Amino acid sequence: MAISTSIQWCDSTCNPTMGCDGCELWNEATGERTCYAGVLHSRYGGKTKGYSPTFDQLTFWPGRMAAAAKWADLKGTARPDKPWLDGLPRLIFVSDMSDALSKTVSFDYLRQEIIETVESPNGQRHCWLWLTKRPSRMAALSEHLAAQGVQWPSNLWAGTSITSQKTLRRADELLRVGQDSTIRFLSVEPQREKIVFSDALPRVDWVIQGGESGRTARPFDLSWATCLRDQCRAAGTAYFLKQLGSHVLRGSERIRFKDSHAGNWSEWPDEVKAREMPKSIPVPPVIAPIATRTEQEEKGGVQIVAERVPLEVVPVGSKARRAALKAWETRRRNQQDHKGACLPHSTGVGM
């Protein structure tokens, strides 16, 4: 766990478990060993305090969530290095080094360690972003809690990872988590092939996208970013491009960046600069204003000052949300003959 992190879309990280049962990025049968959490465990596991002996050996770390809940409240504060988070509560990424929904983790442990902590007075000051590659099990936990009269906490965001077309079904499974007001998000990272996104997109609040990093990174084409961004805007879904990865293409042209992960958006081509946050973040309207575009850029000797745009806090069931869903459904009917095609380029919030 870390009170600060270089991950662009959150402030902190916390891991109530360490290790994982495996997934498409860490698979003994196929020999796939590209999960960054697994790679770090290979380097530090059994040697450094806080890690599992091996990534395949899941371990429990009760009390970490409660300790993270005591961290300072960030509502209303500026993040100079992450201006898109300005004014928001502390955003804590849950399970960046594990999958707490691995089969060996009981629902009782998850309720005590995660749900009860998130709902505690300290926990309610923050937003907790829980990511899993097992959304069906997260949905089962949600149903288990509901059967006991426990609602999914409003400040616990439910997320799942999408890495390829084969894993797109996870988005549909994620929709079973929580209530209509639950913030749901997709982490499309590392994206390793072109993905045609499903009809679940209008019911998702936020999409994070990123290319693969490392020496053996598979290519990430810039067209994948503009395609997904435009689909998100048509669906009324916030879009956040985290990084382009270590192998970036524009068509057949290889593009290189100083940042090995291409996560420094000041280096990016203008057409892909977009980092948006969900519109339905459960925070009081009084702290809604945030800087979504604050950096100054020098281009051709002319100083361009980006506009400071307030974050509009829009309930999931609002007229705006319903209008976006209706527009998306209409558009789908009108473009049935072009299923899978990318939307035309459009402009919107970004840099």
Side-chain angles (χ1 to χ4, degrees), residues 185-186 188 201 204-209 228 232 237-240:
F185 67 101
L186 303 178
V188 187
L201 198 58
V204 172
D205 297 273
W206 192 31
V207 170
I208 303 163
Q209 185 180 31
L228 180 52
C232 285
T237 300
Y239 169 80
F240 191 105

Side-chain angles (χ1 to χ4, degrees), residues 179-234:
Q179 304 78 234
D180 288 343
S181 58
T182 298
I183 293 182
R184 303 181 183 93
F185 67 101
L186 303 178
S187 175
V188 187
E189 185 189 12
Q191 184 174 347
R192 302 184 295 178
E193 64 179 18
K194 182 178 179 180
I195 302 174
V196 179
F197 292 85
S198 72
D199 298 341
L201 198 58
R203 297 179 62 192
V204 172
D205 297 273
W206 192 31
V207 170
I208 303 163
Q209 185 180 31
E212 191 170 35
S213 59
R215 295 180 180 178
T216 60
R218 277 149 283 206
F220 180 88
D221 196 290
L222 290 180
S223 66
W224 297 354
T226 55
C227 179
L228 180 52
R229 178 204 61 200
D230 291 347
Q231 290 183 73
C232 285
R233 288 180 177 164

Side-chain angles (χ1 to χ4, degrees), residues 4-156:
S4 62
T5 177
S6 61
I7 299 172
Q8 293 88 339
W9 47 269
C10 63
D11 297 294
S12 312
T13 64
C14 186
N15 290 278
T17 63
M18 292 289 277
C20 181
D21 286 344
C23 67
E24 69 273 13
L25 303 181
W26 196 263
N27 190 311
E28 183 177 356
T30 64
E32 181 77 27
R33 286 289 189 268
T34 56
C35 171
Y36 78 92
V39 171
L40 288 176
H41 268 84
S42 297
R43 188 179 306 166
Y44 300 113
K47 305 173 185 177
T48 303
K49 184 179 180 180
Y51 281 79
S52 291
T54 67
F55 191 57
D56 302 296
Q57 184 177 341
L58 190 141
T59 56
F60 297 79
W61 296 86
R64 280 184 172 181
M65 291 285 291
K70 295 178 182 178
W71 289 338
D73 186 354
L74 296 183
K75 288 194 292 289
T77 63
R79 280 78 144 184
D81 57 338
K82 301 177 183 179
W84 42 87
L85 303 184
D86 282 1
L88 299 179
R90 181 185 294 275
L91 302 187
I92 303 176
F93 178 5
V94 178
S95 288
D96 69 308
M97 291 291 294
S98 177
D99 195 329
L101 284 152
S102 294
K103 61 185 178 182
T104 53
V105 185
S106 72
F107 285 173
D108 287 343
Y109 178 79
L110 295 174
R111 177 174 177 174
Q112 179 178 349
E113 183 66 12
I114 296 181
I115 304 301
E116 292 181 5
T117 300
V118 168
E119 290 186 312
S120 70
N122 281 330
Q124 288 178 15
R125 300 174 304 142
H126 314 307
C127 288
W128 305 79
L129 287 58
W130 191 2
L131 188 63
T132 182
K133 289 186 174 68
R134 296 166 173 80
S136 60
R137 195 153 194 265
M138 183 180 278
L141 170 63
S142 176
E143 294 163 359
H144 173 76
L145 294 171
Q148 299 178 48
V150 178
Q151 281 201 330
W152 193 264
S154 62
N155 60 329
L156 181 58

